[in-house]
């Protein structure tokens, strides 16, 4: 029993493999549209574009790894910038993320009918792709309002199958059609593509890495954030880079750049029916040199797999949009109505309808995949740049802080470990954002309009509340079922008495709606006259008995329970330290109500003053 409680190895939370599989399911889906969008601009230099964007992404991945380990909470660049700068910058990052999620929904869902065109050809083009895309978007919005949960194991399985299929296509391509001679003749420097088109293709190529925020949003579920988050982000970056480093060479060998009239084109980046911009991976399958029944079977398999993966990626965008909306409302960046739940279904219906539904539909009506790709680049480059700047600022602001994990490489100057990855990555993403703004007029006007509308609304909303623009302000804790959406990691110190039962029950109700995790903590207080490693068999047995009782209270709610025993001189100090180590979002304390002068005891008072998160006190019945 003691071994079970004192070991952290059996905690039922996400490890690096699960984080990787979940993130790759979102990031890896981008191959089904990014390949054609980039090839239409970069032509024969498409592989080079993906290499450059991959290097920028590697720096971005390092930034997100360090930021998420430092602050293992949902929010990504919005969270980093809140700690590094202020609430106004945090809103800018969150609003850019919102654009990313809306565009991710639109661009993923419009490609679903493109790959299903193997069954009905009109699905490849307007207006049927728009009609089906809008229908699927609202279907997913409705499913999420009803509250149907994702099948996490199915998502992981599909991510593994997807990655294996992409590797299979690469292997077949190298064996059947890869031709370096053709690849050399695909490139006409300064002409096909022009230098301006080449520069524009780089930020558009970053669409290959949609979904990097996924790991940040799952950080609070990580078993060991210090190890699992950097490891999983590195695996995602390597896996996606491996596909984008190889598959474009194969695709351009199969569909080379040709000189037609006054233009250079490749079928990979041409609109249908001449080309395969709307379904580039199906185009690759058709040009692998395979014929007959094998080709027909492979097309059906890839088409169904791609449509399924894109549908899941769309749903991830819908969930992400609702989560970022809820987070923004929690910090008073958006009205509290966006964190309100449906009275019967208990889901954030307004956030889903407004952003995941209406927002995506507006962009879908344009029906232009090139425009969607550039809009994603606009939002992503801005969000990534803020993330890089935040990590640099955190290194400067907390120069003497001891980080559990820090990304590399670094350069120590004037007592500061300057993060070279964040500096180089920030320069890259910032320059890429400027390229999009300068070169693409529709993207410039739509993107800047999105930013202006957001900041104007933020200004009026904050003024209406009488709050400064730059000061962080949390909304009051919601009452009723809505409170459950607030917390996913809950710490409950366990003591003898009725107050612990009430605290565990409150925590279990908080964790139920959001599939959260409860950490049951028993602190054994060691007197000063004894060493910390003294033999305390009797106290350990009592601790195990209390934890068994607490687990029995929580388990009927269907929540995940982690049990922990620690030794410390002061109980309050141990609770605060555990909350910091776990990245707990709330501490639920049980405290008896007494007739004496002090409302609570010294331990509760200490935690209330020093805890790094919210504290809820569940007061028991009045003591006689």
């Amino acid at each position: 029993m003691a071994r079970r409680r004192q070991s952290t190895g059996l905690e039922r939370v996400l490890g690096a493999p699960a984080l990787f599989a979940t993130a790759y399911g979102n990031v890896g889906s981008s191959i089904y549209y990014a390949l054609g969008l980039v090839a239409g601009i970069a032509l024969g230099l498409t592989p080079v574009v993906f290499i450059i964007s991959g290097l920028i992404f590697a720096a971005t991945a390092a930034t997100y790894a360090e930021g998420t380990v430092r602050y293992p909470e949902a929010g990504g660049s919005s969270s980093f910038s809140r700690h590094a700068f202020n609430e106004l910058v945090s809103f800018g990052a969150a609003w850019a993320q919102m654009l990313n999620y809306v565009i991710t929904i639109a661009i993923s869902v419009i490609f679903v009918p493109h790959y299903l065109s193997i069954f009905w050809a009109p699905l490849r083009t307007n207006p049927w792709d728009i009609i089906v895309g809008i229908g699927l978007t609202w279907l997913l919005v409705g499913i999420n309002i009803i509250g149907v949960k994702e099948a996490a194991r199915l998502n992981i399985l599909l991510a593994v199958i997807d990655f294996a299929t992409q590797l299979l296509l690469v292997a077949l391509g190298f064996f059947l059609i890869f031709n370096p001679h053709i690849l050399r003749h695909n490139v006409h420097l300064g002409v096909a593509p022009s230098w301006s088109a080449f520069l524009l293709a780089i930020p558009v190529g970053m669409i290959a890495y949609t979904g990097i925020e996924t790991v940040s949003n799952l950080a609070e579920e990580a078993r060991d954030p210090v190890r699992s988050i950097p490891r999983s982000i590195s695996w995602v970056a390597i896996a996606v880079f491996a596909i984008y480093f190889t598959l474009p060479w194969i695709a351009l060998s199969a569909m080379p750049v040709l000189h037609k009239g006054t233009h250079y084109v490749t079928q990979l980046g041409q609109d249908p029916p001449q080309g395969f911009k709307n379904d580039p991976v199906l185009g690759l399958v058709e040009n692998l040199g395979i014929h007959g029944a094998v080709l027909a079977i492979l097309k059906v398999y890839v088409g169904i797999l791609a449509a399924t993966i894109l549908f899941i990626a769309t749903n991830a965008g819908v969930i992400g949009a609702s989560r970022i909306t809820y987070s923004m409302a929690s910090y008073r960046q958006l009205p509290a109505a966006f964190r309100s739940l449906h009275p019967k279904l208990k889901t954030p219906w307004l956030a889903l309808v407004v952003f995941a539904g209406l927002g995506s539909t507006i962009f879908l009506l344009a029906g232009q995949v090139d425009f969607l790709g550039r809009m994603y680049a606009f939002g992503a480059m801005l969000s990534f740049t803020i993330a890089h700047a935040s990590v640099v600022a955190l290194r400067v602001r907390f120069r003497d802080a001891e980080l559990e994990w820090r990304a590399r490489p670094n350069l120590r100057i004037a007592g500061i470990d300057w993060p070279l990855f964040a500096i180089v990555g920030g320069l890259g993403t910032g320059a890429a954002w400027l390229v999009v703004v300068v070169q693409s007029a529709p993207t410039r006007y739509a993107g800047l309009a999105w930013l202006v509308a957001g900041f104007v609304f933020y200004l009026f909303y904050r003024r209406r509340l009488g709050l400064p623009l730059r000061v962080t302000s949390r909304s009051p804790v919601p009452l009723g079922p809505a409170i459950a959406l607030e917390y996913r990691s809950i710490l409950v110190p366990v003591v003898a008495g009725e107050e612990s039962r009430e605290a565990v029950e409150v925590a279990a109700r908080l964790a139920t709606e959001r599939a959260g995790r409860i950490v049951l903590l028993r602190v054994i207080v060691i007197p000063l006259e004894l060493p910390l490693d003294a033999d305390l068999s009797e106290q350990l047995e009592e601790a195990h008995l209390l934890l068994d009782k607490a687990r029995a209270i929580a388990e009927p709610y269907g929540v995940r329970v982690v049990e922990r025993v620690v030794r410390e001189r002061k109980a309050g100090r141990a609770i605060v330290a555990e909350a910091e180590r776990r990245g707990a979002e709330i501490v639920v304390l049980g405290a008896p109500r007494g007739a004496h002068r002090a409302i609570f005891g010294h331990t509760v008072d200490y935690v209330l003053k020093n805890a790094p998160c919210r504290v809820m006190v569940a007061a028991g019945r009045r003591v006689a």
Side-chain angles (χ1 to χ4, degrees):
M1 191 178 297
R3 288 193 302 271
R4 175 167 59 89
R5 272 15 171 302
Q6 293 183 357
S7 170
T8 60
L10 297 179
E11 298 176 7
R12 291 181 291 173
V13 289
L14 297 177
L19 287 170
F20 163 76
T22 304
Y24 187 82
N26 293 328
V27 183
S29 64
S30 61
I31 189 68
Y32 295 107
Y33 48 79
L35 191 57
L37 294 179
V38 174
I41 304 172
L43 299 173
L45 288 180
T46 296
V48 178
V49 166
F50 281 124
I51 291 173
I52 295 174
S53 62
L55 294 175
I56 296 174
F57 173 73
T60 303
T63 287
Y64 270 81
E66 178 169 318
T68 305
V69 170
R70 187 190 281 259
Y71 302 107
E73 58 193 25
S77 60
S78 176
S79 173
F80 309 160
S81 56
R82 175 175 292 113
H83 294 285
F85 301 112
N86 53 55
E87 199 64 23
L88 182 62
V89 180
S90 175
F91 170 80
W95 195 239
Q97 282 186 62
M98 181 70 77
L99 178 61
N100 293 345
Y101 282 121
V102 170
I103 296 298
T104 297
I105 295 169
I107 199 167
S108 297
V109 81
I110 201 172
F111 274 83
V112 172
H114 293 169
Y115 281 92
L116 293 178
S117 64
I118 54 175
F119 301 109
W120 192 48
L123 291 175
R124 292 185 75 200
T125 54
N126 301 154
W128 287 107
D129 57 351
I130 299 174
I131 294 171
V132 174
I134 291 175
L136 291 175
T137 299
W138 285 100
L139 172 64
L140 287 172
V141 169
I143 289 173
N144 281 277
I145 290 176
I146 293 171
V148 177
K149 295 183 179 180
E150 285 187 292
R153 290 184 179 178
L154 177 61
N155 290 356
I156 293 174
L157 175 63
L158 286 171
V160 172
I161 294 174
D162 182 47
F163 185 50
T165 301
Q166 292 168 9
L167 291 178
L168 174 63
L169 292 176
V170 169
L172 287 174
F174 271 112
F175 180 73
L176 297 174
I177 59 171
F178 179 68
N179 191 325
H181 179 73
I182 292 177
L183 294 173
R184 283 197 300 270
H185 283 79
N186 280 338
V187 178
H188 306 274
L189 289 176
V191 177
S194 65
W195 291 117
S196 60
F198 174 71
L199 293 176
L200 178 61
I202 293 173
V204 174
M206 290 297 291
I207 201 172
Y209 306 101
T210 57
I212 186 59
E213 297 274 356
T214 302
V215 177
S216 293
N217 289 332
L218 292 173
E220 52 206 7
E221 304 239 17
R223 176 185 296 122
D224 184 359
V226 175
R227 292 184 176 87
S228 59
I229 289 174
R231 190 175 300 167
S232 61
I233 289 180
S234 298
W235 291 352
V236 171
I238 292 170
V240 176
F241 185 75
I243 297 299
Y244 279 102
F245 182 76
T246 53
L247 206 58
W249 301 108
I250 308 300
L252 285 169
S253 293
M255 293 167 279
V257 175
L258 303 175
H259 192 199
K260 292 188 176 180
T262 58
H263 300 287
Y264 287 89
V265 297
T266 169
Q267 277 189 300
L268 186 61
Q270 278 186 294
D271 293 318
Q274 292 84 8
F276 296 94
K277 180 189 288 186
N278 287 0
D279 47 4
V281 179
L282 274 180
L284 172 59
V285 171
E286 284 195 16
N287 290 275
L288 275 176
I290 300 173
H291 304 285
V294 176
L295 174 61
I297 293 172
L298 189 57
K299 284 177 61 177
V300 171
Y301 167 73
V302 170
I304 293 175
L305 177 65
T308 305
I309 293 293
L310 289 167
F311 186 77
I312 292 174
T314 304
N315 192 49
V318 170
I319 295 172
S322 66
R323 283 181 178 175
I324 192 67
T325 304
Y326 188 87
S327 175
M328 293 174 74
S330 298
Y331 283 96
R332 298 194 179 192
Q333 296 175 349
L334 290 176
F338 284 105
R339 66 204 294 250
S340 62
L341 303 186
H342 191 279
K344 293 183 178 179
L345 302 173
K346 313 305 180 190
T347 51
W349 67 274
L350 185 60
L352 289 165
V353 168
V354 172
F355 290 104
L358 291 176
S360 303
T361 298
I362 291 172
F363 284 103
L364 276 169
L365 288 172
Q368 298 295 319
V369 294
D370 286 322
F371 173 69
L372 294 177
R374 294 173 191 184
M375 282 300 297
Y376 177 84
F378 180 95
M381 293 305 101
L382 181 57
S383 179
F384 292 167
T385 302
I386 294 174
H388 289 304
S390 299
V391 168
V392 175
L394 287 169
R395 287 283 190 93
V396 175
R397 185 176 179 182
F398 303 105
R399 64 186 67 186
D400 297 324
E402 291 188 10
L403 299 180
E404 292 183 278
W405 184 89
R406 67 179 66 206
R408 298 176 180 177
N410 301 286
L411 180 63
R412 189 167 184 84
I413 299 178
I416 300 172
D417 286 321
W418 294 94
L420 296 182
F421 58 91
I423 295 171
V424 173
L427 292 174
T429 55
W433 184 79
L434 289 175
V435 169
V436 173
V437 171
V438 171
Q439 289 203 34
S440 179
T443 307
R444 175 171 64 248
Y445 296 133
L448 293 179
W450 173 275
L451 292 179
V452 170
F455 277 106
V456 168
F457 180 86
Y458 179 77
L459 172 65
F460 281 102
Y461 177 63
R462 279 276 175 149
R463 290 285 173 84
R464 180 170 169 268
L465 295 179
L467 294 173
L469 299 180
R470 300 180 180 181
V471 175
T472 299
S473 174
R474 293 285 312 247
S475 296
V477 176
L479 300 177
I483 196 172
L485 287 180
E486 191 79 15
Y487 310 110
R488 299 182 73 174
S489 180
I490 305 171
L491 179 65
V492 185
V494 176
V495 297
E498 185 65 24
E499 57 266 25
S500 265
R501 168 179 286 277
E502 296 195 16
V504 174
E505 287 183 347
V506 169
R509 290 198 296 270
L510 295 182
T512 299
E513 290 286 336
R514 205 175 170 196
R517 175 188 61 174
I518 296 177
V519 178
L520 300 174
L521 174 68
R522 173 60 179 172
V523 181
I524 298 179
V525 179
I526 310 296
L528 290 174
E529 61 269 17
L530 295 177
L532 284 174
D533 58 351
D535 182 12
L536 302 171
S537 301
E538 185 177 340
Q539 290 89 332
L540 281 172
E541 285 300 318
E542 180 190 9
H544 298 152
L545 181 61
L546 289 173
L547 290 173
D548 277 337
K549 291 180 179 179
R551 174 183 279 276
I553 296 169
E555 281 186 336
Y557 290 87
V559 299
R560 290 176 298 159
V561 177
V562 174
E563 300 164 25
R564 174 93 166 135
V565 176
V566 298
R567 300 169 178 235
E568 186 55 83
R569 301 292 185 191
K570 299 286 187 181
R573 187 188 308 159
I575 294 168
V576 171
E578 189 72 12
E580 291 176 345
R581 193 179 77 83
R582 297 272 178 182
E585 294 176 333
I586 187 170
V587 177
V588 180
L589 289 166
R593 294 176 182 171
H596 36 74
R597 185 175 182 181
I599 299 176
F600 303 121
H602 294 297
T603 298
V604 177
D605 287 340
Y606 182 89
V607 176
L608 286 169
K609 292 176 182 177
N610 298 281
C613 58
R614 286 180 173 176
V615 179
M616 178 182 291
V617 180
R621 295 184 178 89
R622 182 174 296 279
V623 178

